[in-house]
C-alpha cells in the first residue's frame, strides 16, 4: 500500500478575519464595562440582586463584581479590591490572555488554552476558599 500524501497546509485566513474574534470580544467587554461605568451599581434598582444572596444571605464568588468593575473603571483600585478582589484579579488575567490571543491571531497561529488538570482544580479551590472566607466573620474583609 502506498502512503497517502499529506494535504497541503491551508493558507491562513486574511488578517481582518483572524482579528475579528478577539476584537469583537474586546468590543463586547468594553460595552459591558462602559455600561457598568455609567450606571452605578451602588444605586439600587439598576441591577438584579444576586440569586444566591437573595435566597441564602451568603455571598457567592461574584457578589460585589459589578461594584468592583465600577470602581475599577473609575480608577479606584482600593474599592475595587474591597468589593471583589477575585474579580479584579480576573480582569488582569483576562487582559493578559486577550493580548496573547490578539498577538497569536495576528501571526496566524491558533490559540489553545490547555492547562493541566491540576491548574483547573487549583483555580476551583481558590474560588471555593474565597467564597467560604468571605462568608465567615474573620473573612469579612473579603465581603462586598
Amino acid at each position: 500500500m502506498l502512503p497517502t500524501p499529506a494535504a497541503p497546509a491551508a493558507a491562513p485566513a486574511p488578517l481582518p478575519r483572524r482579528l475579528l474574534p478577539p476584537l469583537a470580544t474586546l468590543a463586547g467587554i468594553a460595552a459591558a464595562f462602559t455600561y457598568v461605568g455609567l450606571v452605578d451599581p451602588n444605586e439600587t434598582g439598576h441591577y438584579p440582586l444576586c440569586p444566591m444572596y437573595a435566597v441564602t444571605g451568603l455571598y457567592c464568588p461574584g457578589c460585589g463584581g459589578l461594584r468592583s468593575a465600577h470602581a475599577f473603571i473609575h480608577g479606584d483600585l482600593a474599592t475595587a479590591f474591597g468589593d471583589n478582589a477575585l474579580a479584579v484579579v480576573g480582569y488582569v488575567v483576562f487582559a493578559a490572555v486577550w493580548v496573547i490571543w490578539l498577538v497569536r491571531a495576528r501571526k496566524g497561529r491558533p490559540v489553545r488554552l490547555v492547562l493541566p488538570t491540576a491548574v483547573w482544580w487549583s483555580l476551583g479551590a481558590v474560588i471555593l476558599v474565597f467564597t467560604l472566607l468571605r462568608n465567615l466573620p474573620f473573612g469579612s474583609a473579603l465581603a462586598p
Side-chain angles (χ1 to χ4, degrees), residues 7-136:
L15 183 61
R17 186 170 179 183
R18 292 192 317 257
L19 295 179
L20 182 62
L23 293 178
T25 300
L26 180 63
I29 297 295
F33 265 75
T34 299
Y35 182 79
V36 172
L38 294 173
V39 181
D40 190 354
N42 295 301
E43 296 177 15
T44 58
H46 295 292
Y47 300 97
L49 288 176
C50 169
M52 182 172 165
Y53 183 75
V55 172
T56 66
L58 298 174
Y59 299 118
C60 77
C63 280
L66 287 173
R67 291 187 299 276
S68 172
H70 182 79
F72 188 83
I73 292 164
H74 291 278
D76 188 355
L77 295 180
T79 301
F81 270 101
D83 287 334
N84 192 322
L86 196 58
V88 175
V89 172
Y91 308 149
V92 175
V93 169
F94 173 81
V97 170
W98 183 84
V99 167
I100 292 167
W101 183 18
L102 182 68
V103 168
R104 292 188 65 85
R106 187 180 183 298
K107 293 180 178 181
R109 295 183 183 161
V111 178
R112 292 184 184 89
L113 184 59
V114 180
L115 297 173
T117 304
V119 172
W120 291 111
W121 280 102
S122 298
L123 179 60
V126 166
I127 293 170
L128 179 64
V129 168
F130 175 75
T131 305
L132 291 173
L133 287 177
R134 70 192 324 213
N135 285 291
L136 295 172

